[in-house]
Amino acid sequence: MVERCENCGEQMSVTIHVFQKYVHFFWIPFLPAGKTGISECANCKQTLTEKQMPASLLATYQNLKSAAKIPIWMFSGAALFVVLFIGLKINEQNKNRENAKLILAPKVGDVLEVKNKDKQYTLCKIVDLRGDSVLLISNKYQSSDPAGLSALKDSAYSEEISYIAKPELKKLFDKGDVIDIHRE
Ligand SMILES: [Zn+2]
């Protein structure tokens, strides 16, 4: 009870409540999003929103509002998002480092995710190694999106064998045309 009520004239009968709003994402609080509040008179039960408050009340309300701390749990979603993002980045870096090693020493059975000239993605399987040459067969199917490649894993491969020299394969990897390598 901090203020005199201008409605009923009762002294020290008005309480101010400040509410912190937040944005949620699937019911997980994501980020705080501004404050709102009301005043309430214990005597006449009048409630006023921020816009309806008389100047005297508004000043007190503004003070309370700026003093109100934002609960840290309201950042839960954003914090989770940052942690996930960093985790994904580290994972990606590790995978790239691992792939850079694998591409230098290809093995029979390796499956490469490859981007071709038409910007289509497919899988190439290493079937043999002869000296400096890598012998590959391509999957018969293509995907316009690398995410679709996992669906191709069990589909048929062409019987046609193509050759590529190891240094050329490394070049394709460096160019980003070999986007991933799977080794059992
Ligand atoms: Zn009142």
Side-chain angles (χ1 to χ4, degrees), residues 5 7-10 13-14 41-46:
C5 178
N7 191 44
C8 65
E10 184 80 5
S13 67
V14 179
C41 173
N43 188 45
C44 70
K45 307 298 175 198
Q46 186 199 43

Side-chain angles (χ1 to χ4, degrees), residues 164-178:
I164 187 165
K166 282 181 189 173
E168 290 302 313
L169 192 61
K170 174 72 166 69
K171 266 185 216 165
L172 288 180
F173 176 77
D174 291 339
K175 251 176 73 187
D177 288 346
V178 174

Side-chain angles (χ1 to χ4, degrees), residues 18-22 29-35 67-77:
V18 176
F19 306 105
Q20 174 70 52
K21 293 187 286 187
Y22 62 89
F30 200 84
L31 271 181
K35 294 165 186 167
K69 290 224 169 66
I70 299 172
I72 198 133
W73 57 262
M74 284 187 186
F75 294 94
S76 307

